[in-house]
Amino acid sequence: MDNSSFTIRPSGAYNGVMTTQPTGRFAPSPSGYMHMGNLLATLLAWLDCRTLGGRMVLRMEDLDPVRTRPEYARALAEDLRWLGMDWDEGYPDASYCQSARTALYEAAFHTLEEKGLIYPCWCSRAQRLAAASAPHPGEAVHDPRCRCAYLTAAERAERIAAGRLPAWKVRVPDETVTVQDCHYGTYVQNLAREGGDFIVRRADGVFAYQLAVSVDDMLMGVTRVVRGRDLLSSAPRQAWLIRTLGGTPPEYCHLPLLTAAEGKLSKRLGSESTQRFRAEYDPRDLVGRLAALAGLLPSPEPITPRELLPLFAWNKIPTDDIIISQ
Ligand code: GLU
């Protein structure tokens, strides 16, 4: 990748290649082995993309050097293949690994900086959470921004000189963004009052998920984002970031989360699971179990992702979270 000539290009362009084809993505974080929840998200992302005749990308979200490991990335890719899912571009090509894309995030950060949207923030995590909590009914609506947004240049210089490394936040406008989620329908969020300014670069220099995922979805020409509904509230800020950087946001399709009757997915169906599944299951049994949980089959029966294609429809999938017994 020629980083020196990098400019933010509209959606549909990646490394100079324009595509009008629908494009989906797997975007796993290699910080552990896949569990049933991840597997369901990847299966629906693959079915959604292939039903549309789309191109599939496998992007490794390995930005965090402390939490992610190359062996998990390898295992995730093997799991997808073992289950019968394929992709057209991506891992193990390093240019689809976030750890190798820092120059692109740097360029996007710089674009936001030039627009006057970036400021340093010295708040602790606890202060940030307190500032982000919504005012109670009847309370005056308070300014959700932390004080760092209003520091003078001299005050900033003083803090920097004292050696305290800041995180970097993007200043969002008082704008209401509407996302048409293909499964949950219209989702409306006021960026300033409900989301608030958010971190795009951590104090240790690592770019934050929100920036990296937006830049990548834009530059990889992603047109369909299929993922768990815990990320639905991030969709408006990602759509706004992409538009601010000159791109076109993808369509978002969120899916219900898998939860255990006991409240939390246990270790058995938890982080060590695909390793265990590969030893104990036929992949077709596992796909059948996932398909039944998602409402695509009346009951579990062995099936491949490809055989599921004619049975896939978003309106069969529940919107309430799916409870599994363990
Ligand atoms: N890497 C994220 C995860 O594994 C998913 C991000 C996304 O789909 O936007 O949870």
Side-chain angles (χ1 to χ4, degrees):
M1 224 177 300
D2 179 2
N3 298 327
S4 58
S5 66
F6 169 75
T7 48
I8 302 286
R9 300 191 200 91
S11 180
Y14 178 63
N15 291 346
V17 180
M18 289 297 294
T19 175
T20 50
Q21 217 185 344
T23 299
R25 40 70 149 190
F26 300 121
S29 302
S31 54
Y33 296 114
M34 287 216 262
H35 53 67
M36 290 286 277
N38 310 136
L39 292 177
L40 182 65
T42 55
L43 179 62
L44 296 186
W46 187 88
L47 289 170
D48 179 79
C49 178
R50 295 310 193 199
T51 305
L52 296 169
R55 134 190 184 263
M56 195 72 194
V57 168
L58 170 55
R59 174 170 82 229
M60 266 317 150
E61 304 216 320
D62 58 349
L63 259 187
D64 189 333
V66 178
R67 293 181 55 237
T68 62
R69 288 200 216 143
E71 59 266 34
Y72 289 136
R74 274 194 298 276
L76 291 171
E78 280 165 20
D79 288 341
L80 293 174
R81 284 220 179 81
W82 175 76
L83 282 167
M85 291 184 268
D86 59 352
W87 55 97
D88 306 295
E89 289 167 37
Y91 182 87
D93 178 340
S95 65
Y96 292 81
C97 295
Q98 290 189 329
S99 55
R101 297 172 61 83
T102 304
L104 302 174
Y105 311 137
E106 194 90 57
F109 183 82
H110 188 63
T111 302
L112 296 171
E113 225 171 13
E114 280 178 339
K115 291 178 184 281
L117 296 175
I118 297 287
Y119 65 89
C121 174
W122 283 271
C123 291
S124 65
R125 193 175 143 73
Q127 281 169 313
R128 274 187 210 120
L129 290 176
S133 66
H136 297 292
E139 244 178 61
V141 175
H142 69 286
D143 182 346
R145 281 198 170 104
C146 68
R147 240 180 55 74
C148 299
Y150 305 106
L151 295 177
T152 62
E155 285 170 322
R156 282 180 190 166
E158 202 177 291
R159 291 184 186 209
I160 288 169
R164 291 176 57 205
L165 287 178
W168 299 88
K169 272 185 172 177
V170 66
R171 187 189 297 269
V172 295
D174 184 4
E175 186 183 311
T176 299
V177 174
T178 301
V179 167
Q180 289 301 339
D181 187 87
C182 83
H183 195 45
Y184 286 93
T186 306
Y187 182 77
V188 182
Q189 188 183 83
N190 180 284
L191 292 177
R193 275 177 275 128
E194 293 169 72
D197 296 345
F198 57 93
I199 293 177
V200 286
R201 191 170 200 174
R202 300 187 334 202
D204 61 4
V206 174
F207 286 100
Y209 158 74
Q210 300 289 357
L211 180 81
V213 83
S214 306
V215 168
D216 288 345
D217 283 338
M218 179 172 72
L219 295 182
M220 293 178 183
V222 171
T223 61
R224 304 277 290 186
V225 166
V226 177
R227 60 187 180 192
R229 69 155 186 83
D230 50 333
L231 289 169
L232 178 56
S233 63
S234 288
R237 63 179 61 169
Q238 291 172 8
W240 171 78
L241 258 184
I242 290 173
R243 254 188 254 113
T244 304
L245 293 170
T248 306
E251 287 177 286
Y252 293 96
C253 309
H254 289 85
L255 55 114
L257 302 179
L258 283 188
T259 56
E262 299 79 14
K264 201 169 185 292
L265 286 186
S266 76
K267 198 84 175 172
R268 200 164 79 79
L269 289 171
S271 63
E272 301 302 324
S273 59
T274 31
Q275 301 299 296
R276 184 181 66 89
F277 288 146
R278 274 206 247 159
E280 286 181 18
Y281 272 89
D282 183 297
R284 297 168 76 244
D285 289 329
L286 189 51
V287 171
R289 186 165 174 214
L290 291 167
L293 286 169
L296 300 177
L297 287 177
S299 58
E301 58 178 275
I303 196 162
T304 64
R306 203 156 286 284
E307 287 162 350
L308 263 179
L309 279 171
L311 302 174
F312 174 72
W314 278 102
N315 61 12
K316 293 184 182 168
I317 296 163
T319 47
D320 286 343
D321 286 347
I322 302 167
I323 298 171
I324 49 177
S325 47
Q326 307 194 56

